[in-house]
Amino acid sequence: MGFFNWVLSIIYKSMFLTGDSGLRRAHVLSKLVFTISLILVHVVYSEKSIAILPVLIVLGIVHAGLEWIIAVLSLTGLVGVYLASSAYLLSLTGLYYMAPLQILTIALRATTVAMSIILLFNIISPIELYNLLHVFGARHFSTYTLLLWRLMPLGLKNFTDSLAVGYLKKETTVKRIPPATASIIESGWFIEEYNYWRLRVSSKTHIPVTRTIIHTIILLLSSLTILLIVKII
Amino acid sequence: MFDLPSVLIANIIRCGYSGGFTLRDVKFNVNEGEILLITGRSGSGKTTLVRAVTGTMRALDGYVEGEVYLCGRSIKNADPEDIYKCLTYIPQEPWYAIIGYTVYAEICHILALEGYICSEVEFAISNLSHLANRLTYTLSAGETQRVLWSEALLKKNKLLVLDEPLVYLDKNAKSYIKNVIEKALGEDVGILLVDHDPLFWENLEPQLIYLRDGRVIYYGKWSRSIVEQYSTKTSTQRERRISKGVYAELRNVWFKYPGGDYVLKNIDMTIEKGVLTAIVGPNGSGKTTLLKLASGVLKPSRGIIVRHGTAIYIPENPLLYFTMPTPREELLLASRGDELKMLDIAEYFNIKGILDQPLAKLSSGERRRVALASAYLSGFDAYFIDEPTGGLDYESTSLVLSVLEELAERDKAVVIATHDERAVNKSDLTMRLELKNHELKSMSIQG
C-alpha cells in the first residue's frame, strides 16, 4: 500500500498541484513556441536532449516551486530507473550489450522526455482551451475542458481516500483497487446527474484569462535557451 | 402551455428506478415567492422526488410517469436552455455539483453560460475573493456549499431546488442562508426545499409535504403539530461518560496539503476511549483533516501521533468507505461471513429492506447507516466519523447517535466532526477549532 500510495501522490502533485498560476499564466503564443522547441529538441536533437534537463528543472521551480519539482523528479526518475533497469536486464541476458554509460543515458533521456511531457501538461490552461473552443464554435464542448481538469484530480483524490480507508480496514491493495476505481466512476455519474442541464447548455461568452508578462518572457527565453544548448553542444 | 405564477407544477403518477424504489401519486405546485418543504424519513423518497422534478431522473435510467412543468414548460420536451434558466439545483453531495477546477473557473463558467464576462466584482459581492484561486478539489464540503450558494444568487433563477442545504454549514452560514432564502422569496423566487429538520424553517411557514415509503402522507400548510407528530426528537438528557483510557495522542501536529498552506498548526490533543468526542468549528477550519490525521488516513507534516489499537475513518461521502457493491456483501465481509450476525445488525440499523440494492443507488442517509453498520460489525478500537448525521431524519439520527453512544459505552474511542447540534448535545467532549483570517488560531476543549 505504501509504495502504491506514494506513486499516486507524486502523480497527483506532478499534475494537479497548481491552479492558474506560474507558467500557466504565460501568453498562449509563448506556450506554442515552447512546445515546438521541446518537440524539436526531442525529435531532431534527441541524442543531445538530456542537456536541457537543468533548464527544465529551473523552469519547474519557477513554475510551481520546490515541492512540485521534487514530485516531478521522483515521478520522472521512476520512469528513468524503470527503463534503465530494463535495459540493464536485457544487457545481462547477452542479447544486446549496453555499456553502463549507455544505460545511464537511457535513464536521463527517459527522465527528460517525461519531464517535458509533464511540464507541457502543466502549462496548458483549461480556461484558454475553453475560450479556444468557444471561438472555434465548439461552445458546447468547452465545458468539458473544465470538467476534465475537475474530474482528474477529484477522481485521484477519491481513489487515494478510498485506498486509505481500505488500509484501515486491513484490505490488500489489490482488493481495494476495484472499489476505489468504482468510486471514480460513481463520481462521474453524480456529476452527470447534478449538472444535467448545465452540461446541456453552451457558453455564450469567454472566461477572462489572467496573463503575466514575466512568465511569457521566461517561457520565450527558455525556448531560446534549450535550442541554443542543443545547437552548441 | 401554462400561464400561471407557478414555477413548478408536479403531477407525478409514478416515478423511480426499474426494479427499485417507486414513488407514487405526488401532486403539488410551487408558486413564485413560495417555499415548499419536503421532509420524511431517510429512504422515504425525498431525493427521488427531487430527481423527478429536476428532470435528472433520466441520467439514472429512472422513469417518471406524469407531468412536471418548470417555469411553464413541460420538462419532457423543453429546451435545456429554458430549464437551465429556470432552475438552480443544489444537491446533498455538493462536491459533485462543481464543474470548474478552480473557484474562479467555476463562477466564471456559470456567468459565461448566462452571457456575462466575470470580474472581481462578482467574487467580492459573493464574498469568495479569498477562495477564487483555490482548486475546487481542495475545498471542504462547507466551502463547496458556499460556492454553490453564490452561484445560485448570481444566476437569479425563478426556482431554487435545495436538497439538505444545511448539512455541511456552520451556524453563521446557516443563518446567512436562511436570510438569503427570505430575500429570494421576497424577489418572487419559488423554493423547493428538502430538509430533515423542518423546525429550522418554521418562521418561513413553508408549505409542507411529508413522505413515507414513497407516498405523500401530508401535503398542506405549515403545521407545527404535524411536524411534531411525525418527528421523534432526540433526547439530550443523559449522564456524561468518563474516559476509560487514552486511545491516541497528537503532539504538536501540523498539516498542510500539497501546494497549500498549513490547515492545522500545533495541535495537541488526546483521544479518549469510552467517550464520544465531537469536533466542531467553522467551514474550512480543518475538522475533516483532523479526523483523517487521528485515524491514520493522513500523515502529519510535523509532529507525532501515537495510537493504541485499530481505527476506522468513515468519510462524509460514505461511498469511499465501501469495499463491496451491495450492503449484504459489505456487511457479510465485515462480519467475516457470519450471516446471522449480519442480519441482526441489518435489523438494528434498519437496513434489512435494502440489503440487495446497489450501494450507489441508495439514498445518502441509507449509505451512512450501511457504512456505520459495516464499521460496527468489524469491531475497531476507534471510530472517526465525518458528519455522521448529515442529512438524516430524526429517527435515523437517533439510531446513529445511539449506536455511537453504545460504541463509547463499550470503551471504544468515538470521534465525530459535525455541524449538527443534536450530535454535539450527545457528545461527552467538544473540541472547537477556531478560525481567524482563514487560519487556524486555537482549539478549545469543553466537556
Side-chain angles (χ1 to χ4, degrees):
Chain A
M1 184 73 81
F3 177 74
F4 196 69
N5 259 353
W6 176 74
V7 172
L8 281 178
S9 83
I10 56 171
I11 292 175
Y12 177 77
K13 283 183 189 174
S14 302
M15 301 300 195
F16 307 108
L17 191 66
T18 59
D20 295 320
S21 58
L23 296 172
R24 211 175 258 186
R25 291 190 167 189
H27 195 279
V28 69
L29 286 177
S30 66
K31 291 177 185 176
L32 204 62
V33 170
F34 182 68
T35 307
I36 293 167
S37 307
L38 271 183
I39 292 170
L40 265 177
V41 167
H42 288 297
V43 174
V44 181
Y45 304 100
S46 61
E47 294 195 353
K48 300 174 185 174
S49 65
I50 56 174
I52 69 164
L53 191 56
V55 179
L56 298 184
I57 292 171
V58 173
L59 209 51
I61 295 169
V62 170
H63 170 61
L66 271 177
E67 189 180 4
W68 185 79
I69 202 70
I70 289 167
V72 173
L73 280 172
S74 308
L75 184 61
T76 54
L78 211 61
V79 176
V81 167
Y82 171 74
L83 288 177
S85 44
S86 305
Y88 177 65
L89 286 175
L90 187 70
S91 181
L92 283 183
T93 61
L95 288 172
Y96 188 87
Y97 174 75
M98 268 182 248
L101 192 64
Q102 278 178 299
I103 291 171
L104 184 68
T105 310
I106 288 173
L108 286 174
R109 200 179 289 172
T111 304
T112 312
V113 171
M115 187 172 275
S116 303
I117 292 168
I118 291 171
L119 203 53
L120 288 179
F121 178 83
N122 271 273
I123 63 172
I124 295 171
S125 162
I127 292 180
E128 274 176 344
L129 277 181
Y130 178 98
N131 291 340
L132 219 58
L133 287 168
H134 182 82
V135 168
F136 288 116
R139 292 183 305 153
H140 183 68
F141 295 102
S142 55
T143 303
Y144 290 92
T145 61
L146 303 183
L147 189 56
L148 198 63
W149 261 261
R150 160 80 178 148
L151 261 179
M152 287 188 286
L154 182 71
L156 212 52
K157 181 175 173 274
N158 285 349
F159 192 86
T160 47
D161 275 358
S162 179
L163 279 184
V165 170
Y167 174 71
L168 295 181
K169 288 169 90 177
K170 310 268 182 244
E171 290 167 358
T172 60
T173 306
V174 172
K175 190 172 181 183
R176 195 65 195 177
I177 286 175
T181 310
S183 74
I184 300 177
I185 297 165
E186 279 154 4
S187 301
W189 288 346
F190 279 114
I191 286 176
E192 158 77 6
E193 181 195 339
Y194 293 156
N195 295 286
Y196 189 81
W197 299 107
R198 188 174 166 188
L199 291 169
R200 281 160 181 76
V201 295
S202 305
S203 62
K204 289 164 196 66
T205 186
H206 69 283
I207 296 176
V209 179
T210 312
R211 293 200 177 98
T212 52
I213 295 172
I214 185 79
H215 288 109
T216 304
I217 294 170
I218 289 170
L219 216 47
L220 287 172
L221 282 176
S222 304
S223 310
L224 192 65
T225 311
I226 59 172
L227 286 176
L228 280 175
I229 288 172
V230 290
K231 265 283 189 195
I232 292 165
I233 293 173
Chain B
M1 285 299 117
F2 284 83
D3 188 19
L4 294 167
S6 292
V7 284
L8 168 60
I9 301 169
N11 187 358
I12 297 167
I13 300 160
R14 265 183 350 137
C15 68
Y17 321 96
S18 52
F21 183 83
T22 306
L23 190 68
R24 293 166 204 276
D25 302 324
V26 185
K27 293 176 189 173
F28 61 85
N29 290 7
V30 178
N31 297 329
E32 288 179 359
E34 188 179 276
I35 180 166
L36 171 67
L37 175 67
I38 296 171
T39 193
R41 295 189 64 163
S42 175
S44 60
K46 301 188 293 292
T47 298
T48 303
L49 181 55
V50 166
R51 285 170 173 158
V53 299
T54 55
T56 56
M57 195 66 109
R58 60 191 93 177
L60 299 149
D61 292 331
Y63 65 90
V64 180
E65 284 176 22
E67 287 292 344
V68 175
Y69 292 91
L70 294 179
C71 298
R73 291 176 173 80
S74 169
I75 209 161
K76 282 180 185 162
N77 44 27
D79 183 345
E81 194 84 42
D82 293 332
I83 301 295
Y84 182 73
K85 276 185 179 159
C86 170
L87 166 77
T88 288
Y89 171 33
I90 301 186
Q92 195 171 347
E93 288 99 354
W95 44 85
Y96 293 129
I98 298 265
I99 282 182
Y101 61 103
T102 60
V103 174
Y104 176 82
E106 172 68 13
I107 297 289
C108 291
H109 178 240
I110 286 287
L111 290 168
L113 294 176
E114 300 283 317
Y116 300 111
I117 297 173
C118 67
S119 68
E120 284 175 10
V121 178
E122 282 84 17
F123 289 90
I125 58 169
S126 308
N127 200 18
L128 289 176
S129 300
H130 67 286
L131 290 178
N133 292 321
R134 277 274 293 277
L135 291 160
T136 45
Y137 71 86
T138 67
L139 297 176
S140 73
E143 288 169 329
T144 306
Q145 232 166 12
R146 277 169 176 257
V147 171
L148 293 177
W149 272 102
S150 300
E151 288 177 12
L153 296 176
L154 290 168
K155 275 180 75 186
K156 292 181 180 162
N157 294 136
K158 293 304 284 179
L159 175 65
L160 264 176
V161 176
L162 312 167
D163 194 354
E164 298 287 355
L166 306 173
V167 174
Y168 302 106
L169 297 181
D170 56 50
K171 227 176 197 172
N172 292 340
K174 281 179 185 170
S175 310
Y176 168 73
I177 293 307
K178 204 173 189 179
N179 290 338
V180 167
I181 286 184
E182 279 187 72
K183 198 174 161 218
L185 289 169
E187 290 169 1
D188 287 342
V189 175
I191 295 173
L192 177 75
L193 176 67
V194 175
D195 202 335
H196 63 275
D197 184 11
L199 288 172
F200 182 82
W201 307 98
E202 188 173 20
N203 71 320
L204 300 179
E205 299 199 339
Q207 292 277 309
L208 201 60
I209 284 186
Y210 250 100
L211 290 175
R212 182 180 287 170
D213 300 328
R215 285 185 186 274
V216 175
I217 55 169
Y218 177 82
Y219 173 39
K221 286 184 176 172
W222 170 262
S223 157
R224 192 181 175 99
S225 62
I226 291 286
V227 170
E228 285 173 345
Q229 183 187 335
Y230 293 120
S231 308
T232 317
K233 295 211 93 177
T234 51
S235 158
T236 55
Q237 284 183 341
R238 54 170 189 82
E239 279 187 22
R240 208 164 281 278
R241 284 166 290 267
I242 53 162
S243 168
K244 298 286 170 58
V246 174
Y247 167 74
E249 286 175 284
L250 286 76
R251 294 285 166 257
N252 189 24
V253 167
W254 295 58
F255 184 81
K256 72 182 183 99
Y257 286 101
D261 295 324
Y262 281 100
V263 288
L264 290 175
K265 294 175 182 177
N266 194 20
I267 296 290
D268 283 309
M269 176 182 175
T270 303
I271 295 168
E272 313 276 358
K273 287 184 203 166
V275 293
L276 173 55
T277 305
I279 300 174
V280 298
N283 296 134
S285 58
K287 298 184 294 297
T288 297
T289 306
L290 189 54
L291 280 191
K292 285 182 171 178
L293 282 165
S295 61
V297 166
L298 293 175
K299 287 195 172 71
S301 309
R302 276 202 256 165
I304 297 168
I305 300 176
V306 181
R307 286 179 211 88
H308 307 284
T310 56
I312 190 66
Y313 167 69
I314 302 180
E316 59 200 351
N317 177 6
L319 279 176
L320 303 179
Y321 176 85
F322 301 120
T323 312
M324 308 304 279
T326 64
R328 182 184 295 278
E329 292 165 277
E330 178 69 27
L331 297 184
L332 269 175
L333 180 75
S335 68
R336 294 171 189 84
D338 187 338
E339 188 145 5
L340 281 178
K341 195 174 168 190
M342 183 275 286
L343 289 171
D344 269 358
I345 293 298
E347 179 100 52
Y348 180 36
F349 280 84
N350 195 20
I351 49 176
K352 222 170 172 179
I354 52 163
L355 280 177
D356 295 308
Q357 288 187 33
L359 283 160
K361 294 274 167 87
L362 298 182
S363 77
S364 179
E366 288 167 336
R367 286 200 293 262
R368 277 184 207 282
R369 277 184 284 146
V370 175
L372 189 57
S374 171
Y376 182 93
L377 267 172
S378 298
F380 294 96
D381 297 314
Y383 292 79
F384 296 87
I385 308 169
D386 211 348
E387 296 289 357
T389 57
L392 296 184
D393 56 77
Y394 283 119
E395 289 81 2
S396 301
T397 298
S398 299
L399 172 70
V400 165
L401 292 177
S402 66
V403 170
L404 298 182
E405 288 191 291
E406 192 201 317
L407 285 169
E409 273 148 25
R410 285 164 54 195
D411 295 349
K412 309 287 185 184
V414 186
V415 186
I416 59 172
T418 187
H419 288 295
D420 189 339
E421 287 297 323
R422 299 169 298 178
V424 176
N425 289 337
K426 288 280 181 187
S427 68
D428 307 294
L429 206 60
T430 305
M431 296 191 175
R432 188 172 297 277
L433 293 173
E434 297 293 348
L435 267 178
K436 201 174 177 187
N437 297 328
H438 310 290
E439 273 190 21
L440 184 68
K441 287 295 173 194
S442 65
M443 188 174 80
S444 61
I445 299 171
Q446 298 148 18

